[in-house]
Amino acid sequence: MGDKIDGKAIALGVKENIKNFIETRKLNGMNIPKVASILVGNDGGSLFYLNNQEKVAVSLGLEFEKIHLSDNVTEDNLIKKIEELNNDNSVNGIILQLPLPKNMDEKKIISSISPEKDIDCLTFVNQGKLYMGEETFMPCTPKSVLTILKSLNINLEGMEVVVVGRSNIVGKPAAALMLKENCTVTICHSRTKNLKEVCKRADILIVAIGKAKFIDESYIKDDAIVIDVGTNSVEGKITGDVDFEKVINKAAFVTPVPGGVGALTTTLLMKNVCEALEKYEN
Ligand code: NDP
């Protein structure tokens, strides 16, 4: 029987680091990191994330500016607001809640965020750096995956990693981060042939497909590490893409849902804000 990875415990460690970072800055009379988070419209899920970001930011000692705009706001006015934040030296990080209302040109609006403040790696500039293996802000969900793997204190180099899912926000950037760790990386998607056989090669299996309990023990190599990114609502309960109860009997480590990858993401976003402040000062 494998071990359940405790994402909340890992998050606590990161939270302590951030609190210490901010405490030390306060004692030395230095600026406190500040993040601005923009929501357009009233999407329930996005509103939940916005409020949660505020709660986490404030609990860690960051300054938080909540910008909740009506879905009648024009693209020009939204871009103007983003440019204002770009030019405000007290703001270190900008979060734009996605998706934007359907009538808006999402790519154009994302491109107006200054890459120096794009702490969730949405802009083409920062994504380009990510795929070139250069230093940039790591997007928070793949960063959570990597932070969990690093917490296991294993040598990632040369490991066979299979990522199931190729979205721009999870699958592709997670694969890029693992490649940077010198893993051998395969990306699978809905057209992959023999998915089960490919997954069974994995020392580390990262799953982000949005299909509840899709991956069972028949996809797993003995003693593999399984990272479940999925969050699916099943009968009002959040459920992962991995059938945890079945997979834990075969794998060495498995992340639960909830309490795994998702337990770290907002905290890591705030860590990126701290890094943005440090980069700005240097
Ligand atoms: P997307 O819907 O954007 O992408 C899903 C990917 O899975 C696609 O690449 C798709 O392939 C692939 N896929 C779908 N079905 C299969 C299948 N049967 N076999 C193989 N591949 C398949 O999802 P996201 O990446 O945005 O999210 C994935 C999951 O992660 C969701 O449950 C989401 O809620 C969760 N999530 C969790 C976060 C967290 O912080 N914990 C953050 C973000 C997402 P194709 O490209 O061919 O269509």
Side-chain angles (χ1 to χ4, degrees), residues 11 14-15 18 56 60 263-272:
V14 181
K15 281 179 179 168
I18 298 175
V56 173
L60 296 173
L264 274 151
T265 47
T266 308
T267 301
L268 291 172
L269 204 48
M270 298 310 150
K271 190 159 192 276
N272 281 359

Side-chain angles (χ1 to χ4, degrees), residues 94-111:
I94 300 171
I95 303 170
L96 181 64
Q97 305 294 329
L98 299 177
L100 288 171
K102 286 198 167 52
N103 59 330
M104 288 191 163
D105 183 343
E106 204 163 271
K107 284 185 189 149
K108 180 175 160 197
I109 292 163
I110 286 173
S111 298

Side-chain angles (χ1 to χ4, degrees), residues 97-240:
Q97 305 294 329
L98 299 177
L100 288 171
K102 286 198 167 52
N103 59 330
M104 288 191 163
D105 183 343
E106 204 163 271
K107 284 185 189 149
K108 180 175 160 197
I109 292 163
I110 286 173
S111 298
S112 71
I113 302 173
S114 157
E116 286 77 30
K117 300 190 181 187
D118 170 29
I119 49 158
D120 205 15
C121 197
L122 297 175
T123 57
F124 287 126
V125 172
N126 287 351
Q127 291 209 354
K129 285 185 179 171
L130 183 79
Y131 295 117
M132 298 283 280
E134 284 183 24
E135 201 58 45
T136 186
F137 299 111
M138 284 187 216
C140 65
T141 303
K143 183 171 182 166
S144 174
V145 171
L146 184 59
T147 305
I148 287 172
L149 289 170
K150 290 208 162 163
S151 78
L152 300 176
N153 286 320
I154 44 162
N155 183 8
L156 295 173
E157 198 165 301
M159 280 208 160
E160 183 106 27
V161 174
V162 174
V163 183
V164 192
R166 58 172 163 180
S167 73
N168 288 330
I169 61 161
V170 190
K172 278 186 212 153
L177 293 185
M178 299 317 296
L179 193 58
K180 196 163 185 222
E181 295 297 321
N182 294 320
C183 297
T184 303
V185 184
T186 305
I187 307 181
C188 300
H189 44 78
S190 66
R191 318 286 165 87
T192 298
K193 288 181 184 155
N194 305 323
L195 180 66
K196 204 173 267 192
E197 298 315 311
V198 180
C199 289
K200 275 177 116 166
R201 291 206 312 253
D203 301 313
I204 299 173
L205 182 64
I206 301 168
V207 190
I209 57 176
K211 296 218 154 68
K213 295 192 177 185
F214 184 90
I215 299 287
D216 64 17
E217 74 279 22
S218 64
Y219 288 77
I220 309 292
K221 178 167 108 172
D222 281 339
D223 295 327
I225 299 167
V226 182
I227 308 290
D228 186 358
V229 182
T231 49
N232 311 286
S233 180
V234 179
E235 292 168 359
K237 270 182 74 181
I238 298 294
T239 309

Side-chain angles (χ1 to χ4, degrees), residues 22-39:
I22 293 176
E23 239 357 89
T24 309
R25 293 187 66 92
K26 273 189 187 160
L27 286 173
N28 291 308
M30 297 164 85
N31 287 340
I32 300 305
K34 178 174 174 181
V35 57
S37 187
I38 307 170
L39 170 63

